[in-house]
Amino acid sequence: MTEAVSRPTLEAVAARAGVSRATVSRVVNGGDGVREPLAERVRRAVAELGYVPNQAARSLVTRRHDAVAVVIAEPEARVFADPFFALQLRGISKELTAHDNQLVLLLTEGRADHARVARYLAGGHVDGALVFSLHLDDPLPGLIHEAAVPTVFGGRPGWGDDTRTGDHTDVVYVDCDNRGGAHTAVRHLVDLGRRRIAHLTGALDQTSAVDRLDGYRDVMEDVPGGSDPRLVVESDFTPAGGERAMRELLDRCPDVDAVFAANDLTALGALRVLRASGRRVPEDVAVIGFDDVLPVAEQTDPPLTTVRQDIEEMGRLMARLLLRGLSGGRDRAGAPADPPPAGGVILPTALIRRASA
Amino acid sequence: MTEAVSRPTLEAVAARAGVSRATVSRVVNGGDGVREPLAERVRRAVAELGYVPNQAARSLVTRRHDAVAVVIAEPEARVFADPFFALQLRGISKELTAHDNQLVLLLTEGRADHARVARYLAGGHVDGALVFSLHLDDPLPGLIHEAAVPTVFGGRPGWGDDTRTGDHTDVVYVDCDNRGGAHTAVRHLVDLGRRRIAHLTGALDQTSAVDRLDGYRDVMEDVPGGSDPRLVVESDFTPAGGERAMRELLDRCPDVDAVFAANDLTALGALRVLRASGRRVPEDVAVIGFDDVLPVAEQTDPPLTTVRQDIEEMGRLMARLLLRGLSGGRDRAGAPADPPPAGGVILPTALIRRASA
DNA sequence: ATGAAAGCGCTAACAG
DNA sequence: CTGTTAGCGCTTTCAT
């Protein structure tokens, strides 16, 4: 398992190069203000000794860590069945890496973990946090607010309007246009001539689910008979939930001719139940999902028509916004950058037509 | 986005409690050697001030970080289609959390990232590393060896025998009994009366794929005609790869009556092709997978018979072994713990019978 | 059992 | 432009 060995310090490099520690420090950190012959000598010493700066020592004085926490709060199941988080993580990882920041992953599974996360964030171990998957009753935002850590949320927080955590004018989040995307999807079904269009919702304690439901209703209120409450069945973003909801829907409304599922996983479950019931997709019932998670949407039978959102880009953007905020509105060269946006950034969605609708 | 604020220091707590910094430090770190009335005063001061130790300062002197890097090296696709990594991550996260260690996630996508990871590991930012998904030609092990960071590998490294990175007697890894599991699966197919049993391999630059192939061969060499090379088709652990391989197999051996797929995802692809070809599972062709990733195995049609390995436990075990090694063979109370195992730990597998075989 | 003091390795004024 | 000098906040001998 290999024991760790002691590494050379700034001091050692300075001695080797015959300069002061300060000079070495300057060279190591970008090297402006050190004349060439000297700088080169230092660089060589660094290389020869294999010097790597001690981050702890550096953080102690700079109060920066070049590390960002990613907090994923999901009760058990979903995080790992859904490629969604993995994709966002990848986007985040890429962006952070590009800016020499480390990704500290904080997985939480319930109340017990909240305190731990709060303590960690408050402990000033990281420069900022990226927080996901908030549910409406989640205590995390409050804790984070207290911890006073720069934070960007993934998905519109549901508590933006209430007063639970005080002033929220400075909340930054990234989300996709859930309502608009849902609108487009349902509109598409209408244009296809469908009239009994149902919606299998996501977990309604998350804003994404609520917004998609709203988008569905936006369209349906103009459809004759479209306000039939039986057409909306609550589900939870999982394939199993999708199956359950679809079964119930078939029970309530055997005449359904289209289904807008809150995400691809839900659509997957619905597809299975539809097939089992002997209905053809899309001939008898058209199905549209949401997310366009490729491993799912491209592989269903038939391939899924769905609302695409650029998940990886969302992650990347979250990281970018956080880092921008951290650098105090200047980029690395010190040039003024765009100011951090107030409130949220909404990414566009697009309807991807495959075979299911 | 909230600006970070300055946090109370040890000094402040000491002042508040009317004691020296040393005393506060003792209380904060377990509190032995401080008499009760005093200790209590300190604890109250800590609570009142909301004191949280500065990890950077602490690391600077202790040279510990209470942080572990998780290195996942996968070219693009697989990491995120396969719930496998997510499950291991969860196991790791739980174990690390239980020991107050942080998880630093290092995702790599190709050569360019290797240098970065090596630098990070060598930089002494973390106490140890958990490394996954090595491919036979991966340069990472060598770099890690140079970095001299305590490491536990996920999956048997393929380079244990060669001399590329010098002495490897101290390599620690966790894996499941790939060969034995494969043996059991194929044996089961034989017991079912099948004779034309094929194998869709995993990516053969990974030991898990090689070992499963070996397990298959162990059984097949005793089956009449079982050594027919056409029965083995190379694939890559993905659903798409499974489809491709299954198509080729059907082409080569239309009389195949059973398939052992290298993992569940491969089986998923195979199942789709079998259905499309009009064959019934398991009546015409029995199918067995490997992994027992629930969201996949339970949801296929028909539900998949597969070889179960406890993925989350693997992750947990890796973390436990690493932490044990780090603590120098003593547990937290200072009592002697089991010595870190030499070489690998192999977890058992079990055949889970569902409907596909 | 408690306190005083000496750094851990680095950056950031400040001098020169 | 380069070197000198203070600490950053904490743990850890070493006295007491």
Side-chain angles (χ1 to χ4, degrees), chain A residues 20-23 26 34-35 38 63:
Chain A
S20 74
R21 275 156 35 198
T23 298
R26 289 182 187 111
V34 179
R35 232 168 286 181
L38 247 200
R63 284 138 184 303

Side-chain angles (χ1 to χ4, degrees), chain A residues 106-292:
Chain A
L106 269 27
L107 259 27
T108 77
E109 306 193 354
R111 305 278 145 143
D113 286 346
H114 286 335
R116 171 177 63 88
V117 169
R119 199 170 351 110
Y120 184 76
L121 259 24
H125 301 282
V126 291
D127 301 325
L130 264 19
V131 180
F132 283 102
S133 268
L134 289 179
H135 296 252
L136 290 180
D137 63 341
D138 204 307
L140 217 45
L143 295 171
I144 288 172
H145 191 255
E146 279 175 47
V149 182
T151 299
V152 173
F153 292 93
R156 181 170 69 79
W159 33 264
D161 324 308
D162 75 21
T163 54
R164 175 136 39 104
T165 52
D167 181 16
H168 268 114
T169 53
D170 60 350
V171 167
V172 179
Y173 69 89
V174 175
D175 206 341
C176 77
D177 182 10
N178 287 302
R179 189 164 184 165
H183 188 107
T184 306
V186 179
R187 184 80 246 160
H188 174 69
L189 291 170
V190 170
D191 292 345
L192 251 29
R194 311 287 168 147
R195 285 303 173 266
R196 296 292 285 167
I197 304 172
H199 178 43
L200 310 184
T201 77
L204 290 175
D205 64 341
Q206 304 196 253
T207 58
S208 58
V210 174
D211 292 351
R212 291 172 197 183
L213 173 57
D214 286 343
Y216 164 82
R217 289 196 167 131
D218 289 346
V219 179
M220 293 304 283
E221 61 191 14
D222 295 332
V223 173
S227 312
D228 184 345
R230 292 174 305 170
L231 287 171
V232 175
V233 184
E234 188 166 344
S235 186
D236 60 5
F237 285 131
T238 70
E243 290 189 9
R244 226 177 297 122
M246 190 68 223
R247 253 181 246 114
E248 173 157 358
L249 175 63
L250 251 20
D251 230 44
R252 294 187 196 171
C253 310
D255 63 334
V256 62
D257 61 8
V259 172
F260 167 52
N263 71 345
D264 291 347
L265 258 21
T266 301
L268 180 66
L271 245 25
R272 270 200 291 259
V273 170
L274 283 169
R275 183 183 325 136
S277 82
R279 284 165 171 85
R280 292 164 306 160
V281 176
E283 295 83 351
D284 302 324
V285 181
V287 175
I288 297 190
F290 203 114
D291 282 352
D292 195 33

Side-chain angles (χ1 to χ4, degrees), chain A residues 324-339:
Chain A
R324 187 184 295 169
L326 293 178
S327 62
R330 0 222 85 229
D331 65 20
R332 283 167 124 204
D338 298 336

